[in-house]
DNA sequence: TCCAAACCCTTGGATGTCCTAGTATATTGC
DNA sequence: GCAATATACTAGGACATCCAAGGGTTTGGA
């Protein structure tokens, strides 16, 4: 981001909403807009850290997911469900990771429809290094106070449950 | 999203982080991941409401911004700064909005480098209708408790200021 | 048994975002 | 006044995401 703006554009938008008689929804509008912008900032930081590893966030997420799987392999549909992205996005990420030699596709032993994604040794190593970088350069300096982190986890957890992400 | 997962995937990721000895950054990691996922859910809802209007969120944001400008016109660089997106994204959005007859490009009266984006009457009308739809179908049913909305606005406002979005 | 319905993955198309350059216009400094 | 620098927008390319559609595999009910 170049120069900071003199005023918070989201607070201004909220004022505009109130001025137009939409006071009842101005606050949620501001909160939602703030979430969008915060995501954008965080994503940019993460991508910046991952770039030297030749990874994007989407590819990193898949690599990290595989590295936590007991066998180091997962069916594509499982990965799609856990990462909560469209199956085509997983196909895309696997294509590129495979081309980079970080994962392999292998047939499912009993279900001919299913493809397993498997971490290569190089993939496992890179996942470790990238995770260490993200931990120290992004998560350890998130810019959120400790108490705010807990608040966010609680508020967004409730939201995600209500949105149907998970049952428990 | 199809079926809810039996368990919260982000809580699981946090447990994995703790199991690997990264307890100190597990909470911020979970908070950041939750923000990413929440943004994805909200964006999908918004796009769903805007689709019948032939708008995407990016185009709507630009339309809404123009509708609040006194003159109904803004320089492209101003729009880029206020929406906090790359100038090329604004070019892209303006191209499509212009093709749909919702905005016009006009030369800046004194600065030959600058292009003004101007709302057409159709653009203004559509912005109003789309805003009404978003207000009633998304913002009025955000899924956040009133108290949580205030928490989010505060926490994310501080974050955005620290990230250099605005000074005040 | 067997065929229709369900499921899994991929391809192709549309959008949006960013980055890097390139062109045109303004501003600054000598 | 003129050259060097800065600013504004756009073109082209890389990625990611989603949707719609297609081809192969499994499952389940008639």
């Amino acid at each position: 981001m170049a120069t900071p703006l003199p005023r918070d554009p989201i607070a201004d938008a909220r004022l505009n909403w109130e001025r137009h008689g939409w006071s009842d929804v101005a606050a949620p509008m501001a909160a939602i807009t703030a979430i969008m912008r915060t995501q954008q900032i965080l994503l940019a930081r993460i991508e910046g850290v991952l770039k030297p590893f030749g990874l994007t966030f989407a590819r990193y997420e898949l690599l990290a997911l595989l590295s936590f799987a007991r066998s180091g392999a997962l069916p594509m549909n499982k990965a799609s469900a856990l990462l909560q992205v469209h199956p085509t996005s997983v196909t895309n990420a696997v294509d590129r990771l495979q081309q980079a030699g970080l994962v392999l596709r292998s047939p499912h032993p009993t279900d001919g429809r299913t493809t397993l994604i498997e971490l290569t040794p190089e993939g496992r190593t890179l996942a470790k290094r990238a995770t260490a970088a993200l931990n120290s350069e992004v998560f350890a300096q998130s810019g959120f106070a400790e108490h705010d982190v807990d608040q966010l986890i609680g508020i967004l957890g409730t939201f995600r449950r209500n949105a149907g992400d998970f049952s428990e």
Side-chain angles (χ1 to χ4, degrees), chain A residues 40-104:
Chain A
Q40 189 183 21
I41 294 169
L42 290 170
L43 182 60
R45 286 190 195 169
I46 290 172
E47 299 272 13
V49 169
L50 292 177
K51 197 180 186 94
F53 297 99
L55 292 175
T56 62
F57 186 49
R59 297 179 210 170
Y60 167 76
E61 276 195 297
L62 185 51
L63 232 44
L65 183 64
L66 289 172
S67 75
F68 289 124
R70 272 277 160 266
S71 61
L74 276 179
M76 299 202 48
N77 63 335
K78 201 98 178 181
S80 168
L82 291 174
L83 296 177
Q84 305 186 100
V85 295
H86 203 277
T88 52
S89 298
V90 176
T91 295
N92 186 320
V94 171
D95 284 349
R96 299 170 192 280
L97 288 172
Q98 187 169 30
Q99 194 172 354
L102 303 173
V103 304
L104 288 176

